[in-house]
Amino acid sequence: MIYTLIVLPNGITMAREKRLNIRVTDEEWDKLKTYADKKGLSMAEVIRFYISSLPGTDR
């Protein structure tokens, strides 16, 4: 298992265990890149924030 340690500006650290590779169209790439740039975020941060906003699932 590969871990990537992320240190946030506020000093909080997070370990990332999984990696996700997706294919997007040029239009989707441009849309994501433009949004991330406007917000001062990386494209990965935008995707992670979106995922964290999804409702949880009951198991």
Side-chain angles (χ1 to χ4, degrees):
M1 185 175 296
I2 297 173
Y3 290 93
T4 301
L5 186 62
I6 307 294
V7 180
L8 301 175
N10 60 6
I12 295 174
T13 58
M14 303 161 64
R16 301 273 184 226
E17 298 179 20
K18 307 282 185 184
R19 180 179 204 91
L20 173 67
N21 293 310
I22 61 169
R23 293 183 184 270
V24 295
T25 64
D26 287 340
E27 183 179 325
E28 291 166 334
W29 178 273
D30 292 341
K31 189 174 186 177
L32 178 59
K33 176 87 171 104
T34 298
Y35 181 85
D37 288 347
K38 284 182 182 177
K39 297 292 184 178
L41 301 168
S42 70
M43 295 189 327
E45 287 172 313
V46 172
I47 293 168
R48 283 194 295 268
F49 286 140
Y50 178 73
I51 291 170
S52 69
S53 74
L54 295 172
T57 58
D58 295 340
R59 291 184 179 199

